[in-house]
């Protein structure tokens, strides 16, 4: 083990490797911050470069890009209400209200620290428990994964309790949009409306940019010139809350990181589900749940620690079983295989140096998040001082160019424009957008696993007795759905006992 | 009419509108042939059918007043401005790959602020140059996006 | 070299757009970068093989050849784009068996096997049936026995995919019935194998090679045993004459100029015979299977007709 660690460190302190890591962190942060660009485009761009690099630099580059591009997505979520990836959608809930009231610097500070802590926490877990966790993940068959998806969707019930019916409707609309194109299980085409390019489905980035960026511009245009004219001057820079905050917040960080790791290990669920579940849990267990969604720093922390903890978790099945859980880790895995890394159980017994190289790179990249956040925050928060009309024009330009960059497709831009009007219409009528995006992201996973569970286990409910994990998930789903009723009943009972 | 009528009308319109939109989506997508989707759970259309049925139900619930407490005050002011700027953004997005990013972006970053009544010419010019430089540097130089100039 | 490639591509593109490109007709092909569409996401076997070919082809043609990923609809989106591209020879693509041979019959796609000019075959990976490494099943015969006594569940990459079709044919010959569990990616199928959701799946040698710790090949659907796993029997030698492979072919849209096609075919032959290409493919567990486009085209059409008949028989054509 010590020898392996030494070997990994030797590879890592090589100047080329360090330069690659630095490049990964800088480029990853920039890509993450820009609307429309995220981890998948960052890794896809880096893939051809790594072909001509040796192991150390290419691992460093990929890990640097991977976690900083996820982190960067949250900056846009906070400053502009435009999540860089669906994983940052839950960060908007509290990050954006904070930025609007002038606390953008604090929101960025919390995001940065939360991301780095979640990431580091997951690496420690990954270092010690990966093979064990990978075996645990295999207990999640189609039935369990279907239930995980349903569970994540049900968390909307806690997050948006005040407008439940509208939230559910938005979630279902998202799922309907996701089913355009093809049946994810059989590959059969459906809902193409007679237009072949729709067979590829509604792509994520144009949808996200339209729904959030363009609709945000439209919402703000409607308000522009009315209301308090630029009343609060946005603070610039990077602010971290004091110790008293962390005394209570560490629990949120720990819980969220755990949720992120578990969801990261499971295939197909990923950071979006993790940040939503973790956010709803933070809200549920908070003493003041009503402050969530109005700029509560713990909301940011919950979402951010969880979505960055996914990075470590997602590498578990990739490295120890050779099974990537999502397209991003699939690309990372392909790059590693081309470097001569053979993922699988033997990687941990015979090539611990390679595993440690990956972990160390990821760890340093998480420190890189702190540095990038610290230096970048001045620049990022300055955006808030731009005159509103210019800021809005900038959002339109960057969202459009970012959308085009993904596929070099003019059709994607049409989808973005249409999604902009859809998002704006829904917002004007009081529908929340976050459930829509989580419905869209989770729909394929829910559908595929439901169909496979039916094929494999049939319709006999006895299967829940044979599969304890599934039974536990079922109980959790009922718990989330019935939570308000249970909480009220328990509260009532307590009061009765107290009054006696 | 009492003051109560307006929110109720909007509620009913929203709910029924959602249901109608989902129904239209299903019809246009060819989901309304029962013979196809009643056959088995394996059918490729069963999932969207269930999802859309749920959304239609939600629409009816909203029309019946289920999400009453969420009714936000409806601002008609600014609506036209929002649609106008939204249309401008859409035109920009669709024009971008056709007329090239230099012309389209310059036009947008001048037009949008001016339409909103912003008249600081120096700021607009500086911003336009900055955003052109940013897009060129990051997207075209660094990422090799084949965006026509 | 790779770093300069996209820059070159951009420079040339810009030059052409601004009008400095000169008269393209006057110069000989190729005088600007060529892009190769890959109809799958980055990182898959077709993608990696195409990138390897693109590097070798750049060398052979003396022009930059870069890969563009256009994933979607099981490869149909990117393949449709290849068919619709300009016939000037600057937009090519590497398509694979399922989108080219089968998709036109099972889905409504805007191309057929006749929509292309064939440049050359790039790889042909024999298709193996893989099971969990500690499974008792060790040969196609044992698989048939297992299917007879227990419920055989097999993965594939979708309805009417090569894997699906091959398994239907095997089940038919063995007189057994298997349960088809479709999935969209190799990774999902692997997971299902390890989690005991499916018995096994048909997949390529390169995938098994990458996952040797967890997967075990038990039979190959080629005419002869594969040099990559020489101990693994063919399905035919145990009495199930099913022949399928997963191949990739470099194509352009139908109607490219004669001289362009000739240049490309020659370039492809040179590229594939290069040392660098051969050794890279070997490392990846892929079988370089050069075949000239002119030779491949009739084979493709023949396979397409056979596939159509099989799909019809299986009731998969709507």
């Amino acid at each position: 083990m010590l020898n392996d660690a030494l070997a990994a460190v030797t590879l890592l302190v090589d100047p080329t490797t360090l330069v690659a890591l630095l490049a990964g962190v800088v480029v990853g942060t920039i890509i993450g911050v820009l609307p429309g660009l995220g981890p998948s485009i960052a890794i896809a761009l880096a893939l051809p470069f790594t072909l001509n690099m040796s192991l150390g630099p290419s691992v460093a580059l990929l890990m640097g890009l991977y976690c900083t591009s996820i982190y960067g997505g949250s900056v846009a979520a906070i400053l502009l209400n435009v999540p860089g990836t669906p994983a940052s959608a839950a960060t908007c809930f509290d990050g954006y209200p904070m930025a609007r009231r002038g606390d953008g610097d604090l929101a960025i500070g919390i995001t940065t620290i939360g991301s780095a802590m979640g990431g580091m926490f997951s690496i420690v877990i990954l270092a010690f428990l990966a093979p064990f966790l990978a075996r645990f993940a295999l207990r999640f068959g189609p039935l369990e994964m279907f239930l995980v998806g349903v569970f994540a969707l049900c968390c909307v019930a806690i997050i948006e309790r005040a407008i439940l019916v509208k939230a559910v409707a938005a979630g279902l609309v998202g799922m309907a949009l996701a089913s355009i194109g093809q049946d994810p299980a059989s590959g059969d085409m459906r809902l193409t409306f007679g237009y072949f390019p729709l067979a590829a489905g509604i792509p994520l980035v144009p949808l996200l940019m339209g729904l959030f960026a363009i609709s945000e511009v439209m919402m703000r245009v409607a308000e522009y010139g009315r209301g308090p004219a630029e009343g609060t001057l946005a603070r610039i820079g990077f602010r971290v809350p004091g110790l008293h905050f962390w005394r209570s917040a560490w629990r949120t960080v720990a819980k969220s990181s755990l949720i992120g790791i578990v969801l990261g290990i499971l295939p197909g669920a990923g950071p979006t589900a993790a940040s939503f579940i973790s956010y709803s849990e933070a809200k549920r267990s908070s003493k003041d749940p009503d402050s969530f969604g109005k700029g509560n720093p713990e909301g940011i922390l919950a979402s951010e620690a969880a979505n960055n903890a996914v990075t470590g978790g997602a590498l578990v099945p990739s490295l120890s079983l050779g099974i990537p859980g999502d397209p991003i880790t699939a690309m990372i895995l392909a790059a590693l295989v081309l470097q001569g890394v053979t993922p699988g159980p033997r990687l941990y017994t015979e090539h611990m140096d390679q595993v440690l190289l990956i972990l160390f790179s990821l760890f340093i990249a998480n420190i890189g998040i702190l540095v990038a956040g610290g230096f970048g925050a001045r620049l990022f928060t300055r955006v808030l001082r731009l005159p509103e009309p210019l800021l809005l024009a900038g959002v339109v330009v960057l969202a459009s160019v970012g959308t085009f960059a993904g596929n070099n497709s003019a059709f994607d831009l049409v989808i973005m424009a249409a999604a902009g009007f859809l998002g704006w219409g829904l917002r004007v009528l009081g529908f929340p957008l976050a459930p829509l995006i989580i419905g869209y992201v989770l729909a394929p996973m829910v559908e595929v696993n439901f169909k496979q569970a039916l094929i494999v286990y049939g319709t006999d409910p006895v299967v829940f007795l044979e599969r304890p994990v599934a039974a536990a998930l079922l109980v959790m789903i009922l718990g989330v759905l019935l939570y308000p009723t249970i909480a009220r009943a328990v509260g009532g009972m307590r009061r009765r006992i107290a009054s006696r | 009419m009492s003051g109560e009528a307006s929110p109720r009308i909007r509620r009913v319109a929203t709910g029924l509108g959602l249901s109608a939109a989902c129904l239209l989506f299903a019809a246009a997508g060819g989901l309304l042939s029962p013979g196809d989707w009643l056959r088995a759970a394996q059918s490729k259309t069963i999932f969207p059918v269930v999802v859309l049925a749920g959304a239609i139900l939600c629409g009816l619930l909203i029309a019946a007043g289920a999400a009453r407490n969420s009714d936000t005050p409806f601002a008609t002011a600014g609506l036209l401005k929002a649609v106008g700027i939204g249309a401008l953004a859409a035109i920009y997005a669709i024009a971008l790959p056709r007329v090239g990013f230099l012309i389209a972006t310059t036009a947008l970053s001048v037009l949008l602020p001016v339409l909103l009544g912003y008249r600081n010419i120096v700021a607009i010019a500086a911003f336009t140059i900055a955003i052109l430089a940013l897009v060129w540097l990051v997207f075209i130089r660094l990422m090799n996006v084949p965006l026509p100039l | 070299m790779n770093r300069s490639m996209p820059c070159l591509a951009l420079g040339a593109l810009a030059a052409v757009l601004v009008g400095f490109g000169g008269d393209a007709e006057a110069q000989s092909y190729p005088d600007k970068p060529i892009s190769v569409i890959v109809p799958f996401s980055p990182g898959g076997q077709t993608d990696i093989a195409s990138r390897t070919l693109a590097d070798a082809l750049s060398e052979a043609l003396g022009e930059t050849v870069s890969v563009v990923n256009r994933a979607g609809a099981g490869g149909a989106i990117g393949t449709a784009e290849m068919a619709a591209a300009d016939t000037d020879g600057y937009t090519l693509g590497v398509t694979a068996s399922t989108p080219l041979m089968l998709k036109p019959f099972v889905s409504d796609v805007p191309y057929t096997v006749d929509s292309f000019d064939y440049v050359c075959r790039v790889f042909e990976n024999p298709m193996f049936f893989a099971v969990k490494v500690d499974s008792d099943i060790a040969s196609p015969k044992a698989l048939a026995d297992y299917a007879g006594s227990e419920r055989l569940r097999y993965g594939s990459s979708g309805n009417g995919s090569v894997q699906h079709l091959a398994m239907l044919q095997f089940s038919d010959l063995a007189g057994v019935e298997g349960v088809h569990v479709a999935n969209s990616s190799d990774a999902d199928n692997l997971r299902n194998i390890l989690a005991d959701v499916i018995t096994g799946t048909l997949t390529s040698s390169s995938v098994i090679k990458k996952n040797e710790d967890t997967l075990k090949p038990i039979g190959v659907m080629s005419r002869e045993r594969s040099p990559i796993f020489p101990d693994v029997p063919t399905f035919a030698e145990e009495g199930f004459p099913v022949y399928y492979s997963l191949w990739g072919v470099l194509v352009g849209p139908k109607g490219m100029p004669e001289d362009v096609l000739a240049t490309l075919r020659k370039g492809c032959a040179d590229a594939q015979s290069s040392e660098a290409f051969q050794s890279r493919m070997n490392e990846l567990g892929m079988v370089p299977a050069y075949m000239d486009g002119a030779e491949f085209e009739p084979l493709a059409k023949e396979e397409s007709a056979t596939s159509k008949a099989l799909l019809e028989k299986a009731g998969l054509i709507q």
Side-chain angles (χ1 to χ4, degrees):
Chain A
M1 183 80 182
L2 201 62
N3 283 345
D4 294 328
L6 268 176
V9 170
T10 320
L11 269 177
L12 204 59
V13 293
D14 176 75
T16 334
T17 310
L18 290 177
V19 168
L21 190 60
L22 187 69
V25 167
V26 172
V27 174
T29 310
I30 294 173
I31 287 184
V33 167
L34 288 170
L37 307 184
S40 46
I41 205 165
I43 303 288
L45 277 172
L47 195 63
F49 290 115
T50 62
L51 286 177
N52 296 344
M53 290 178 173
S54 63
L55 180 65
S58 50
V59 166
L61 178 67
L62 291 168
M63 294 302 131
L65 286 171
Y66 184 33
C67 61
T68 52
S69 56
I70 291 182
Y71 155 72
S74 312
V75 173
I78 290 170
L79 300 181
L80 306 170
N81 206 16
V82 178
T85 66
S88 311
T91 307
C92 293
F93 290 143
D94 290 291
Y96 185 59
M98 280 181 79
R100 284 295 258 187
R101 69 171 184 232
D103 286 332
D105 57 340
L106 183 65
I108 298 273
I110 290 175
T111 297
T112 308
I113 306 255
S115 296
M117 288 205 293
M120 290 179 188
F121 194 67
S122 77
I123 295 161
V124 174
I125 298 280
L126 180 62
F128 293 107
L129 292 177
F132 165 75
L133 288 173
R135 275 198 306 276
F136 168 73
L138 285 179
R139 302 181 70 125
F140 283 70
L143 181 61
E144 287 80 4
M145 286 318 298
F146 164 69
L147 292 170
V148 167
V150 172
F151 177 70
L153 291 171
C154 288
C155 283
V156 168
I158 287 181
I159 300 177
E160 308 277 10
R161 192 177 314 151
I163 43 171
L164 190 56
V165 180
K166 284 186 171 174
V168 172
L172 290 167
V173 167
M175 295 172 90
L177 289 177
S179 51
I180 288 176
Q182 60 173 327
D183 176 343
S186 68
D188 291 334
M189 287 184 197
R190 68 181 180 199
L191 284 175
T192 55
F193 303 95
Y195 185 59
F196 179 71
L198 275 178
I202 302 282
L204 170 67
V205 170
L207 182 70
L208 202 61
M209 286 306 111
L211 278 179
F212 287 89
I214 303 298
S215 82
E216 178 68 17
V217 168
M218 294 169 75
M219 294 299 282
R220 279 165 78 159
V221 160
E223 280 167 30
Y224 179 70
R226 300 181 300 122
E230 323 276 317
T232 45
L233 193 58
R235 267 193 289 263
I236 300 290
F238 184 84
R239 188 149 55 96
V240 178
L243 264 182
H244 64 96
F245 171 77
W246 296 107
R247 209 163 289 152
S248 64
W250 72 268
R251 216 167 305 183
T252 306
V253 175
K255 225 167 16 176
S256 306
S257 305
L258 274 179
I259 292 172
I261 292 165
V262 171
L263 271 285
I265 295 165
L266 302 179
T272 312
S275 60
F276 271 81
I277 293 177
S278 150
Y279 185 87
S280 77
E281 169 55 23
K283 180 174 178 178
R284 189 199 62 80
S285 59
S286 167
K287 288 198 188 76
D288 184 14
D290 290 333
S291 67
F292 276 75
K294 299 188 182 110
N296 185 337
E298 275 195 47
I300 302 183
L301 209 52
S303 160
E304 284 305 298
N307 71 25
N308 256 58
V310 167
T311 52
L315 286 173
V316 167
S318 309
L319 294 180
S320 50
L321 294 174
I323 306 172
D326 60 53
I328 299 165
T329 39
M331 281 189 279
I332 294 180
L333 196 63
L336 292 176
V337 168
L338 288 172
Q339 292 294 336
V341 177
T342 312
R346 254 190 303 175
L347 186 65
Y348 276 79
T349 50
E350 288 172 20
H351 294 288
M352 201 57 197
D353 54 329
Q354 294 176 347
V355 175
L356 288 174
L357 173 68
I358 294 166
L359 294 183
F360 288 165
S361 304
L362 201 56
F363 197 83
I364 299 179
N366 273 288
I367 297 174
I369 287 183
L370 292 174
V371 179
F375 280 109
R378 288 201 71 74
L379 192 68
F380 304 150
T381 44
R382 210 164 274 279
V383 165
L384 293 175
R385 288 216 182 147
L386 265 182
E388 179 112 343
L390 299 183
L391 178 65
L392 298 182
V395 170
V396 172
V397 171
L398 290 179
S400 306
V401 178
T403 296
F404 183 79
N407 272 329
N408 307 332
S409 153
F411 180 55
D412 282 2
L413 285 167
V414 177
I415 292 179
M416 182 197 78
F421 277 89
L422 174 70
W424 175 76
L426 288 173
R427 285 168 83 167
V428 166
L429 296 174
F431 290 88
L433 292 181
L436 192 156
I437 213 70
I438 191 174
Y440 171 89
V441 170
L442 291 180
M445 168 188 152
V446 167
E447 180 178 3
V448 169
N449 286 297
F450 179 70
K451 286 181 173 171
Q452 292 190 353
L454 266 187
I455 296 176
V456 177
Y457 308 118
T459 48
D460 192 348
V462 160
V463 67
F464 284 103
L465 296 177
E466 290 162 359
R467 302 189 70 89
V469 177
L473 283 165
L474 200 60
V475 171
M476 282 164 68
I477 291 171
L478 292 176
V480 166
L481 292 179
L482 300 177
Y483 177 72
T485 327
I486 296 171
R488 222 177 301 136
V490 169
M493 217 143 52
R494 274 215 192 113
R495 243 171 289 130
R496 235 172 296 146
I497 292 167
S499 69
R500 247 177 240 166
Chain B
M1 281 244 193
S2 72
E4 270 296 286
S6 160
R8 187 186 306 143
I9 289 173
R10 194 158 67 84
R11 203 151 60 216
V12 171
T14 304
L16 293 184
L18 174 69
S19 301
C22 291
L23 208 60
L24 193 70
F25 181 88
L31 298 183
L32 296 187
S33 50
D36 184 31
W37 52 266
L38 280 178
R39 233 182 314 158
Q42 277 308 296
S43 147
K44 64 182 177 181
T45 50
I46 189 77
F47 181 79
V49 164
V50 169
V51 163
L52 286 165
I56 290 170
L57 183 70
C58 285
L60 296 178
L61 285 174
I62 291 167
R68 204 171 333 187
N69 53 352
S70 74
D71 282 346
T72 40
F74 192 61
T76 36
L79 215 59
L80 210 65
K81 211 156 48 166
V83 173
I85 295 296
L88 182 68
I91 292 169
Y92 168 73
I94 291 163
L96 186 63
R98 293 176 176 86
V99 304
F101 109 95
L102 267 181
I103 299 169
T105 305
T106 310
L108 179 95
S109 58
V110 172
L111 259 177
L112 195 147
V114 168
L115 283 176
L116 285 181
Y118 186 77
R119 290 289 184 277
N120 187 340
I121 305 292
V122 181
I124 293 178
F127 171 79
T128 306
I129 291 169
I131 194 100
L132 286 175
L134 178 73
V135 171
W136 181 80
L137 191 74
V138 175
F139 289 89
I140 297 185
R141 250 341 283 277
L142 206 69
M143 293 179 45
N144 305 301
V145 176
L147 201 59
L149 292 171
Chain C
M1 178 204 72
N2 252 324
R3 192 177 289 269
S4 64
M5 234 195 268
C7 297
L8 272 177
L10 180 84
L13 186 72
V16 169
L17 282 168
V18 186
F20 297 120
D23 189 2
E25 297 293 310
Q27 280 153 344
S28 66
Y29 175 87
D31 65 341
K32 62 176 186 181
I34 298 169
S35 56
V36 169
I37 298 172
V38 171
F40 302 101
S41 333
Q45 63 164 340
T46 310
D47 177 67
I48 302 286
S50 305
R51 285 178 196 276
T52 311
L53 176 73
D55 273 0
L57 207 54
S58 304
E59 205 91 343
L61 294 174
E63 253 312 336
T64 313
V65 180
S66 53
V67 164
V68 186
N69 295 91
R70 305 295 262 151
I77 294 287
T79 307
E81 248 171 71
M82 296 168 208
D86 261 347
T87 54
D88 59 4
Y90 290 99
T91 311
L92 308 171
V94 174
T95 187
S97 356
T98 300
L100 186 60
M101 302 278 106
L102 303 172
K103 278 279 170 193
F105 302 124
V106 295
S107 297
D108 192 13
V109 298
Y111 61 84
T112 68
V113 71
D114 297 317
S115 312
F116 305 94
D117 276 339
Y118 293 82
V119 179
C120 64
R121 188 169 67 185
V122 184
F123 63 90
E124 182 181 23
N125 289 342
M127 200 156 68
F128 289 87
F129 195 86
V131 296
K132 213 167 157 177
V133 77
D134 54 10
S135 162
D136 295 334
I137 303 167
S139 67
K141 189 92 193 53
L143 185 67
D145 290 343
Y146 177 83
S149 58
E150 308 197 33
R151 244 155 80 99
L152 166 69
R153 291 192 289 255
Y154 60 90
S156 90
S157 63
N159 264 352
S161 60
V162 179
Q163 292 100 320
H164 185 196
L165 202 58
M167 282 311 286
L168 286 176
Q169 224 181 324
F170 167 74
S171 311
D172 200 33
L173 287 169
V176 294
E177 221 166 303
V179 179
H180 176 219
V181 183
N183 239 328
S184 49
S185 77
D186 268 335
D188 292 332
N189 281 321
L190 290 193
R191 241 193 77 76
N192 274 347
I193 293 178
L194 298 190
D196 290 316
V197 174
I198 56 176
T199 320
T201 190
L202 283 167
T203 188
S204 72
S205 48
S206 62
V207 171
I208 300 175
K209 198 108 185 140
K210 264 194 294 194
N211 295 281
E212 271 184 301
D213 291 348
T214 47
L215 290 185
K216 177 176 79 171
I218 61 153
V220 60
M221 291 189 164
S222 51
R223 280 167 212 282
E224 275 145 41
R225 290 192 178 198
S226 155
I228 298 173
F229 296 109
D231 297 334
V232 176
T234 67
F235 273 73
E237 66 185 77
E238 303 211 345
F240 312 105
V242 190
Y243 307 105
Y244 281 98
S245 57
L246 297 165
W247 41 255
V249 58
L250 182 67
V251 300
K254 182 106 211 149
M256 289 196 288
E258 269 317 92
D259 59 321
V260 167
L261 189 57
T263 311
L264 280 173
R265 281 178 173 165
K266 168 142 195 336
C268 193
D270 294 347
Q272 294 205 37
S273 59
S274 75
E275 187 66 40
F277 180 82
Q278 295 274 343
S279 69
R280 198 18 139 350
M281 294 294 273
N282 239 326
E283 277 168 39
L284 296 169
M286 299 220 196
V287 188
Y290 171 75
M291 185 185 269
D292 188 63
E295 214 178 314
F296 184 75
E297 188 166 354
L299 284 184
K301 292 190 170 156
E302 198 186 302
E303 192 177 325
S304 172
T306 332
S307 307
K308 187 181 179 198
L310 285 168
L311 286 168
E312 243 158 22
K313 197 172 151 219
L316 287 168
I317 297 185
Q318 284 137 0

